[in-house]
Amino acid sequence: LYQYTNSNYVLLARVIEGASGLSYEQFMRQELFAPLGMNDTGLDPGDFSPLNGTRGYSGGNLDIPLDVSNLYGAGDLYSTAEDLFKLAQALSGGRVLPGDLVARMETPGHGGYGLGWMVERRGAHRLVYHPGSMSGAATWFGRYPEAGVTVIVLSNDYYVNVFAVADYLAGQVLP
């Protein structure tokens, strides 16, 4: 039985620490962010400093700031569309993981969920994606691997329909 839970990502961060001997933040910086040139990606210190004054909203109102210290591995990252595009290119190019592992990640299991990714067909195209939302933010990161198309939506409004925005953007480039 499949059931999505953030707790599994907290556990994964702890496994990474135990296996690597590094803190989760050090490991991510050393093994992923720095090698890919993801200079505007990291673990959120919880003080809004990486956001250059940007705040989260719910509709037209400022949302309640979220203490990310308890999200540990399950939503405590910040990034930019540019950096996430670097990640997408690295995944597609086999620079992050071996091709067979990427294929396993992108193979849908129960509920259409692969290893960390939702996988489905949109018309003639296979889509590998993951949405996210929390206090004052809504995100959507997806790849149409065979078409070589990546769509990234980052919003500082919790109520933005990132699915509709992503579908619209994909529709501009995919037949």
Side-chain angles (χ1 to χ4, degrees):
L1 177 66
Y2 157 81
Q3 184 174 3
Y4 182 89
T5 174
N6 284 340
S7 300
N8 291 338
Y9 288 96
V10 173
L11 179 59
L12 178 59
R14 298 294 295 169
V15 168
I16 288 170
E17 288 184 335
S20 70
L22 300 171
S23 72
Y24 174 62
E25 181 173 16
Q26 290 169 325
F27 180 86
M28 295 299 286
R29 171 82 34 224
Q30 177 180 309
E31 299 297 325
L32 188 65
F33 305 149
L36 296 181
M38 296 174 68
N39 300 322
D40 295 313
T41 299
L43 269 69
D44 187 348
D47 63 3
F48 297 105
S49 60
L51 304 177
N52 296 322
T54 301
R55 295 291 305 274
Y57 290 83
S58 284
N61 302 314
L62 273 175
D63 208 344
I64 299 167
L66 185 63
D67 176 8
V68 296
S69 64
N70 65 350
L71 297 178
Y72 191 74
D76 60 348
L77 297 178
Y78 66 89
S79 192
T80 63
E82 292 83 2
D83 276 5
L84 291 174
F85 184 67
K86 291 174 184 177
L87 176 60
Q89 289 180 309
L91 282 168
S92 295
R95 294 190 339 252
V96 174
L97 298 167
D100 61 323
L101 185 53
V102 172
R104 285 184 56 209
M105 286 174 45
E106 296 177 353
T107 299
H110 184 75
Y113 202 77
L115 300 178
W117 297 97
M118 296 174 181
V119 184
E120 60 187 56
R121 296 215 59 88
R122 296 280 175 98
H125 301 282
R126 184 171 63 102
L127 170 61
V128 179
Y129 72 101
H130 205 291
S133 62
M134 64 174 50
S135 179
T139 64
W140 195 95
F141 176 45
R143 298 179 300 116
Y144 295 84
E146 291 77 18
V149 172
T150 298
V151 177
I152 300 164
V153 180
L154 305 176
S155 174
N156 68 324
D157 189 334
Y158 179 83
Y159 289 113
V160 165
N161 185 341
V162 293
F163 289 87
V165 173
D167 285 346
Y168 173 80
L169 292 172
Q172 299 302 300
V173 295
L174 296 172

